Amino acid sequence: MNVLGIDIGGSAVKGAPVDTRTGRLLAPRLKVETPGKLTPAKLSGVVAKIAAQYKWRGPIGLGFPGVIHGPFIRTSANLHPRFVGTDGVKLFSRATGCRVALLNDAAAAGLAELKFGGGRGFAGKTLVLTLGTGVGSALVLAGVVFPVELGHLPLRGRSAEKRVSSAARKRNDLSWRQWAKRLNEYLAVLETITRPELIVIGGGVSAKHPKFFPFLRTSARLVPAKLGNDAGIVGAALHAAQAAGK
Ligand code: BGC
């Protein structure tokens, strides 16, 4: 099935049509920077613009950086607060004129990695973390992806993502080693709680894994997201295909 996968992030919206049988992008992806916190009306306009660029009429899978309950967006830690309580399916399907399936962005990355990436062929307990503007998390077991919000665990008195996200590394001008030290403290807590067999690290920074993986210490096997920054797009598309029963 061909689905337009869209990944809404803290600083940009990315999208591309995806062949959900192969996980391949059918056209080069589009990226629209979204400086500042855009209101739901403005951000859905950006999504509509991306759909229009591909002249898209088919289903759209959309990953959003917040808690998703059914069609509703429940949290918006790094986007406009007005998203909280919004019916995201209604918002984005009205803006695009297409059928929309919505899920958490880290759950999307988890789906994609499970099917086509670092967790492929592995049925054991897996923790997927995405390090970007925020920290996304999902647990995967026996083919089921379970979104969790471990980015907001308290670490030294604040939401962990404020210390360990990729944005925090840049904001605080941390060296790779310094950032890895923070990540190790966080990963130790996550391992105590979730005891995964495999940890997949995604987000844009996963492409730079040789710079910081050598400093990381985990009990679980640690791998970078194979699909890198495309995991969110591919996983959102997979979710829409699943929702359509394909
Ligand atoms: C949000 C999560 C999201 C993560 C990554 C966090 O701030 O609460 O839902 O998955 O950022 O975007």
Side-chain angles (χ1 to χ4, degrees), residues 65-67 75 77-78 104-106 130 134-136 149 152 161:
V67 172
T75 67
N78 295 300
N104 170 263
D105 58 350
T130 62
V135 172
E149 286 286 329
H152 296 292
E161 69 175 22

PDB file of all heavy atoms in Angstrom, residues 65-67 75 77-78 104-106 130 134-136 149 152 161, ligand 1:
ATOM      1  N   PRO A  65       4.509  14.415  18.238  1.00  0.00           N
ATOM      2  CA  PRO A  65       5.337  14.301  19.447  1.00  0.00           C
ATOM      3  C   PRO A  65       4.559  14.552  20.741  1.00  0.00           C
ATOM      4  O   PRO A  65       4.817  15.519  21.458  1.00  0.00           O
ATOM      5  CB  PRO A  65       6.411  15.369  19.231  1.00  0.00           C
ATOM      6  CG  PRO A  65       5.734  16.410  18.408  1.00  0.00           C
ATOM      7  CD  PRO A  65       4.734  15.692  17.536  1.00  0.00           C
ATOM      8  N   GLY A  66       3.609  13.699  21.030  1.00  0.00           N
ATOM      9  CA  GLY A  66       2.828  13.842  22.259  1.00  0.00           C
ATOM     10  C   GLY A  66       2.029  12.582  22.511  1.00  0.00           C
ATOM     11  O   GLY A  66       2.047  11.642  21.706  1.00  0.00           O
ATOM     12  N   VAL A  67       1.344  12.569  23.653  1.00  0.00           N
ATOM     13  CA  VAL A  67       0.507  11.417  24.000  1.00  0.00           C
ATOM     14  C   VAL A  67      -0.734  11.440  23.096  1.00  0.00           C
ATOM     15  O   VAL A  67      -1.398  12.474  22.961  1.00  0.00           O
ATOM     16  CB  VAL A  67       0.079  11.513  25.487  1.00  0.00           C
ATOM     17  CG1 VAL A  67      -0.953  10.449  25.817  1.00  0.00           C
ATOM     18  CG2 VAL A  67       1.301  11.393  26.386  1.00  0.00           C
ATOM     19  N   THR A  75      -0.954  15.572  25.042  1.00  0.00           N
ATOM     20  CA  THR A  75       0.147  16.415  25.545  1.00  0.00           C
ATOM     21  C   THR A  75       0.911  17.014  24.365  1.00  0.00           C
ATOM     22  O   THR A  75       0.840  16.499  23.244  1.00  0.00           O
ATOM     23  CB  THR A  75       1.171  15.612  26.394  1.00  0.00           C
ATOM     24  OG1 THR A  75       1.848  14.677  25.544  1.00  0.00           O
ATOM     25  CG2 THR A  75       0.503  14.862  27.544  1.00  0.00           C
ATOM     26  N   ALA A  77       4.527  18.680  24.723  1.00  0.00           N
ATOM     27  CA  ALA A  77       5.632  19.248  25.522  1.00  0.00           C
ATOM     28  C   ALA A  77       6.474  20.240  24.722  1.00  0.00           C
ATOM     29  O   ALA A  77       6.942  21.232  25.265  1.00  0.00           O
ATOM     30  CB  ALA A  77       6.510  18.127  26.060  1.00  0.00           C
ATOM     31  N   ASN A  78       6.649  19.967  23.423  1.00  0.00           N
ATOM     32  CA  ASN A  78       7.546  20.834  22.645  1.00  0.00           C
ATOM     33  C   ASN A  78       6.860  21.546  21.484  1.00  0.00           C
ATOM     34  O   ASN A  78       7.518  22.191  20.678  1.00  0.00           O
ATOM     35  CB  ASN A  78       8.734  20.012  22.124  1.00  0.00           C
ATOM     36  CG  ASN A  78       9.596  19.512  23.261  1.00  0.00           C
ATOM     37  OD1 ASN A  78      10.135  20.306  24.024  1.00  0.00           O
ATOM     38  ND2 ASN A  78       9.683  18.200  23.417  1.00  0.00           N
ATOM     39  N   ASN A 104       1.761   8.359  18.153  1.00  0.00           N
ATOM     40  CA  ASN A 104       2.920   9.009  18.762  1.00  0.00           C
ATOM     41  C   ASN A 104       4.152   8.814  17.857  1.00  0.00           C
ATOM     42  O   ASN A 104       4.330   7.750  17.266  1.00  0.00           O
ATOM     43  CB  ASN A 104       3.158   8.397  20.152  1.00  0.00           C
ATOM     44  CG  ASN A 104       4.472   8.843  20.763  1.00  0.00           C
ATOM     45  OD1 ASN A 104       5.466   8.141  20.679  1.00  0.00           O
ATOM     46  ND2 ASN A 104       4.483  10.011  21.354  1.00  0.00           N
ATOM     47  N   ASP A 105       5.004   9.843  17.781  1.00  0.00           N
ATOM     48  CA  ASP A 105       6.154   9.781  16.861  1.00  0.00           C
ATOM     49  C   ASP A 105       7.168   8.680  17.208  1.00  0.00           C
ATOM     50  O   ASP A 105       7.723   8.032  16.313  1.00  0.00           O
ATOM     51  CB  ASP A 105       6.849  11.156  16.766  1.00  0.00           C
ATOM     52  CG  ASP A 105       7.346  11.689  18.104  1.00  0.00           C
ATOM     53  OD1 ASP A 105       7.014  11.108  19.163  1.00  0.00           O
ATOM     54  OD2 ASP A 105       8.079  12.698  18.095  1.00  0.00           O
ATOM     55  N   ALA A 106       7.393   8.452  18.518  1.00  0.00           N
ATOM     56  CA  ALA A 106       8.367   7.409  18.898  1.00  0.00           C
ATOM     57  C   ALA A 106       7.779   6.016  18.643  1.00  0.00           C
ATOM     58  O   ALA A 106       8.510   5.086  18.283  1.00  0.00           O
ATOM     59  CB  ALA A 106       8.758   7.565  20.362  1.00  0.00           C
ATOM     60  N   THR A 130      13.978   7.896  20.926  1.00  0.00           N
ATOM     61  CA  THR A 130      14.321   8.862  19.885  1.00  0.00           C
ATOM     62  C   THR A 130      14.847  10.124  20.561  1.00  0.00           C
ATOM     63  O   THR A 130      14.217  10.652  21.473  1.00  0.00           O
ATOM     64  CB  THR A 130      13.103   9.220  18.997  1.00  0.00           C
ATOM     65  OG1 THR A 130      12.093   9.822  19.802  1.00  0.00           O
ATOM     66  CG2 THR A 130      12.533   7.988  18.321  1.00  0.00           C
ATOM     67  N   GLY A 134      12.809  16.559  21.813  1.00  0.00           N
ATOM     68  CA  GLY A 134      12.454  15.889  23.063  1.00  0.00           C
ATOM     69  C   GLY A 134      13.061  14.488  23.054  1.00  0.00           C
ATOM     70  O   GLY A 134      13.913  14.175  22.221  1.00  0.00           O
ATOM     71  N   VAL A 135      12.629  13.672  24.006  1.00  0.00           N
ATOM     72  CA  VAL A 135      13.043  12.264  24.011  1.00  0.00           C
ATOM     73  C   VAL A 135      11.788  11.413  23.927  1.00  0.00           C
ATOM     74  O   VAL A 135      10.912  11.495  24.797  1.00  0.00           O
ATOM     75  CB  VAL A 135      13.841  11.917  25.293  1.00  0.00           C
ATOM     76  CG1 VAL A 135      14.101  10.419  25.380  1.00  0.00           C
ATOM     77  CG2 VAL A 135      15.158  12.681  25.318  1.00  0.00           C
ATOM     78  N   GLY A 136      11.694  10.634  22.857  1.00  0.00           N
ATOM     79  CA  GLY A 136      10.535   9.767  22.660  1.00  0.00           C
ATOM     80  C   GLY A 136      10.887   8.348  23.063  1.00  0.00           C
ATOM     81  O   GLY A 136      12.058   7.948  23.035  1.00  0.00           O
ATOM     82  N   GLU A 149       6.179   7.239  27.957  1.00  0.00           N
ATOM     83  CA  GLU A 149       6.654   8.633  28.027  1.00  0.00           C
ATOM     84  C   GLU A 149       7.857   8.730  28.952  1.00  0.00           C
ATOM     85  O   GLU A 149       7.867   9.516  29.904  1.00  0.00           O
ATOM     86  CB  GLU A 149       5.500   9.538  28.496  1.00  0.00           C
ATOM     87  CG  GLU A 149       4.439   9.784  27.440  1.00  0.00           C
ATOM     88  CD  GLU A 149       4.906  10.739  26.341  1.00  0.00           C
ATOM     89  OE1 GLU A 149       5.731  11.637  26.618  1.00  0.00           O
ATOM     90  OE2 GLU A 149       4.444  10.586  25.190  1.00  0.00           O
ATOM     91  N   HIS A 152       9.951  11.934  30.046  1.00  0.00           N
ATOM     92  CA  HIS A 152       9.552  12.864  31.111  1.00  0.00           C
ATOM     93  C   HIS A 152       9.799  12.312  32.506  1.00  0.00           C
ATOM     94  O   HIS A 152       9.312  12.868  33.486  1.00  0.00           O
ATOM     95  CB  HIS A 152       8.084  13.264  30.926  1.00  0.00           C
ATOM     96  CG  HIS A 152       7.863  14.015  29.653  1.00  0.00           C
ATOM     97  ND1 HIS A 152       8.353  15.280  29.443  1.00  0.00           N
ATOM     98  CD2 HIS A 152       7.268  13.655  28.489  1.00  0.00           C
ATOM     99  CE1 HIS A 152       8.047  15.677  28.218  1.00  0.00           C
ATOM    100  NE2 HIS A 152       7.394  14.712  27.608  1.00  0.00           N
ATOM    101  N   GLU A 161      14.204  14.720  29.436  1.00  0.00           N
ATOM    102  CA  GLU A 161      14.535  15.210  28.086  1.00  0.00           C
ATOM    103  C   GLU A 161      15.223  16.574  28.112  1.00  0.00           C
ATOM    104  O   GLU A 161      15.950  16.917  27.198  1.00  0.00           O
ATOM    105  CB  GLU A 161      13.304  15.216  27.171  1.00  0.00           C
ATOM    106  CG  GLU A 161      12.240  16.215  27.496  1.00  0.00           C
ATOM    107  CD  GLU A 161      11.118  16.209  26.457  1.00  0.00           C
ATOM    108  OE1 GLU A 161      10.933  15.223  25.744  1.00  0.00           O
ATOM    109  OE2 GLU A 161      10.409  17.236  26.384  1.00  0.00           O
TER     110      GLU A 161
HETATM  111  C1  BGC B   1       6.765  13.849  24.046  1.00  0.00           C
HETATM  112  C2  BGC B   1       6.659  12.455  23.460  1.00  0.00           C
HETATM  113  C3  BGC B   1       7.448  12.397  22.155  1.00  0.00           C
HETATM  114  C4  BGC B   1       8.866  12.867  22.385  1.00  0.00           C
HETATM  115  C5  BGC B   1       9.678  12.882  21.092  1.00  0.00           C
HETATM  116  C6  BGC B   1       8.219  14.231  24.205  1.00  0.00           C
HETATM  117  O1  BGC B   1       8.337  15.514  24.725  1.00  0.00           O
HETATM  118  O2  BGC B   1       6.109  13.924  25.300  1.00  0.00           O
HETATM  119  O3  BGC B   1       5.318  12.117  23.255  1.00  0.00           O
HETATM  120  O4  BGC B   1       7.419  11.086  21.661  1.00  0.00           O
HETATM  121  O5  BGC B   1       8.881  14.157  22.933  1.00  0.00           O
HETATM  122  O6  BGC B   1       9.172  13.741  20.158  1.00  0.00           O
END
